Amino acid sequence: MKSKITLKDIARELEVSISTVSKALKNSEEISRDTKEKVQAFARLYNYKPNNIAISLKNKRTKNIGVVIPDIVHHFFTTVIRGIEKYANAKGYNVIVCLSEESFDKEVINMEMLANGSIDGFIMSLSSETQAKKDFNHLKEVMEQGIPVVLFDRITNEIDCDKVIIDDKLGGYLATKKLIEQGKRKIALITTDDYLSVSKARGQGHRKALIDSGLEVDESRILKLPTMEMDEERIRSFFDSIEFDAVLCVNEIFAVFSMRVALEKGLKIPDDVAVIGFTNGLLSKYANPSLTVVAQHGEKMGEISAQMLIDKVESEKEEETFQTKILEPTLVVRDSTIN
Amino acid sequence: MKSKITLKDIARELEVSISTVSKALKNSEEISRDTKEKVQAFARLYNYKPNNIAISLKNKRTKNIGVVIPDIVHHFFTTVIRGIEKYANAKGYNVIVCLSEESFDKEVINMEMLANGSIDGFIMSLSSETQAKKDFNHLKEVMEQGIPVVLFDRITNEIDCDKVIIDDKLGGYLATKKLIEQGKRKIALITTDDYLSVSKARGQGHRKALIDSGLEVDESRILKLPTMEMDEERIRSFFDSIEFDAVLCVNEIFAVFSMRVALEKGLKIPDDVAVIGFTNGLLSKYANPSLTVVAQHGEKMGEISAQMLIDKVESEKEEETFQTKILEPTLVVRDSTIN
DNA sequence: TTGTATGCGTTATCAC
DNA sequence: GTGATAACGCATACAA
């Protein structure tokens, strides 16, 4: 086992000083061609690579980005990670992924773990517990230490930082409008409690579309689940309790499951019931029938988040100007609505 | 902005030496109660936390694990990450995720990036390009440097290291047996070229089940796609070209899509055509009809991988004994096969 | 052109 | 009980 070679090793072997080696490897003008060639050849031969940790300590830059998300199994977050990874990697950064699993405590622990020098900045989406609790001290502390934070998707207005979201209200609006245009009048909404920022906004868009079209908002057609967790029982009994000719859901799982319930009831999709979900994932694409969704452009969101963060990290100036990027949601029309 | 406080800061403030502070915070016996209390109180007040990077440099231990996988959108890898994260986090490790995106070059670059001190060990699944090329020098080099590696799922026999896989051959066998037991005789197989270790093994299991049951292996009923990428065209035309009453697919996407094609042909599932896939993901669960699959237990696989890696990392002794853990696949029976 | 000294933040050894 | 010093690996200002 040949352990990693260091500057010191090279210096010893070649009987020069460490700094000479360091400079030679950087092709410094100060060093003679002879020495440079000798050192570089030796370094190449032994495959010298500088130790990242030492460089981090010196530069106070780790070239690591901490990504804290509630969940990795939901397709949306997966695509965001991919976007972050793509951009970050191209810029020479690594991505450390931590899962809060919707738990406030885990979110706090993860952030503390990373904030002690392991990363240059955070990209995160709040856990549902955090949004419910409205306790953002862990974010404030991190920011006070000068660590930049970019929030995406599940954000809060109580923290001043860069943010990337899609216009969820518009998403809810577009989807509902689409259903109305197709002649649907009894549109059900399956969402979560309002503390989740995205659900709230989507619900508002839904409501606005109804009102704009002169339809009444029937609260009994709205099912608010406590979390994004699937609850087959409640969704089933919800559908048993109402009349509906369309369903809008805040994620694709609820939507696909709604289609199953509808099919089981002998209803035809999209003629008897049209269904729209959020998140343009595999599920939507390969469901039978395929699902019309509001695409959230997760990968794009990840790229933008990474870009904003890295810009902040690498900008010398300590300008405290934060921006919120709002992406446009897109309706991806498939077979669960009428074409 | 109050930047992070260091030992030096505390020492200066309290007018003691850095080493005294360090020892006091570790509750060393050498230090007087008075000093300890003073120092600890001060540290608590200013929320002192040791700098991870400095500790890493000192200990030559980063408490980071590098995870290199081909893809993050496939549900299987997602669950593995979750398993790794879970175990690693509990042990105080962070997880750095790098995506090779099935590219050999990216895999190499990512590993080199991490191998220079950023991580204590690797958990990885080979990219398809790497499996096709059979070039594993990047793995060898890393291991020669004394960095432990755990391979999971997509492995190779050419590298001696810890491995975690499921018995893919058994998985293919079980699935095929199941179909045969249900009276299916014209079983199609949608897989990839043999260079992908898992596909090859699954195909072998499939073949063995056919032979064991006295059925002939009809090569025309086997479609080998170049990669795990979806190719709707080829799958469609494949189904146009053969007679079949069942389909086994090496992933859930192929399987769900096969169901769609069958449905479009007016075939009934599972009576006219039974379908089984690999990977017990959301897609399988929420597809209509729901899909019978061979579960790969990704989360378990992740946990075991992390455990094996961390054991290696933390074991002082340099024993070069490697083990391969083989998990049992499980058939999860749903509506795409006859109950 | 090369080398010395210093520092990044921490810990450990040894001296006082 | 406390503190000075060296070391982890590297970079750089400053000497020589």
Side-chain angles (χ1 to χ4, degrees), chain A residues 15 23 37 63 80 126 141 175 179 181 199 208 235 242 257 268-269 274 280 300 312 326:
Chain A
E15 300 188 300
K23 288 173 190 164
E37 279 172 9
K63 288 252 173 183
V80 175
L126 300 171
E141 275 181 22
L179 295 169
E181 280 164 14
S199 297
K208 182 166 190 297
I235 293 181
I242 60 163
F257 184 70
K268 295 252 179 301
I269 298 173
N280 186 21
K300 186 93 195 158
K312 253 317 181 280
I326 302 177

Side-chain angles (χ1 to χ4, degrees), chain B residues 17 19-20 23 30-32 35 58 60:
Chain B
S17 77
S19 35
T20 303
K23 287 172 191 164
E30 300 179 37
I31 307 294
S32 72
T35 320
K58 186 116 245 294
K60 291 159 166 285

Side-chain angles (χ1 to χ4, degrees), chain A residues 57 60 62 109 111-119 145 147, chain B residues 3-10 18 21-27 39-40 42-44 46-59 61-63 92 94:
Chain A
L57 184 59
K60 292 161 164 283
T62 62
I109 291 172
M111 287 194 74
E112 283 180 351
M113 196 157 162
L114 294 179
N116 298 317
S118 299
I119 51 91
Q145 287 169 27
I147 303 178
Chain B
S3 202
K4 276 256 132 175
I5 193 175
T6 69
L7 288 184
K8 198 198 250 181
D9 299 327
I10 302 182
I18 295 181
V21 177
S22 175
K23 287 172 191 164
L25 289 176
K26 295 199 126 52
N27 239 319
V39 170
Q40 290 173 4
F42 191 91
R44 213 174 1 252
Y46 284 94
N47 192 28
Y48 169 79
K49 293 278 168 50
N51 180 310
N52 290 332
I53 299 292
I55 291 182
S56 295
L57 184 59
K58 186 116 245 294
N59 298 348
R61 282 279 183 77
T62 62
K63 287 252 175 184
N94 286 314

Side-chain angles (χ1 to χ4, degrees), chain B residues 174-187 213 215 245-247 269-276 292 331-339:
Chain B
L174 289 175
T176 306
K177 266 287 185 191
K178 170 84 179 173
L179 295 170
I180 295 169
E181 281 163 13
Q182 299 191 344
K184 305 299 183 180
R185 289 295 173 271
K186 289 175 280 185
I187 303 174
S213 307
L215 296 175
D245 55 14
V247 189
I269 298 173
D271 301 314
D272 299 336
V273 185
V275 182
I276 298 183
T292 295
L331 207 57
V332 178
V333 179
R334 299 207 180 88
D335 298 340
S336 67
T337 52
I338 301 160
N339 279 310

Side-chain angles (χ1 to χ4, degrees), chain A residues 265-278:
Chain A
K265 284 180 177 294
L267 298 168
K268 295 252 179 301
I269 298 173
D271 301 314
D272 301 336
V273 185
V275 182
I276 299 184
F278 269 78

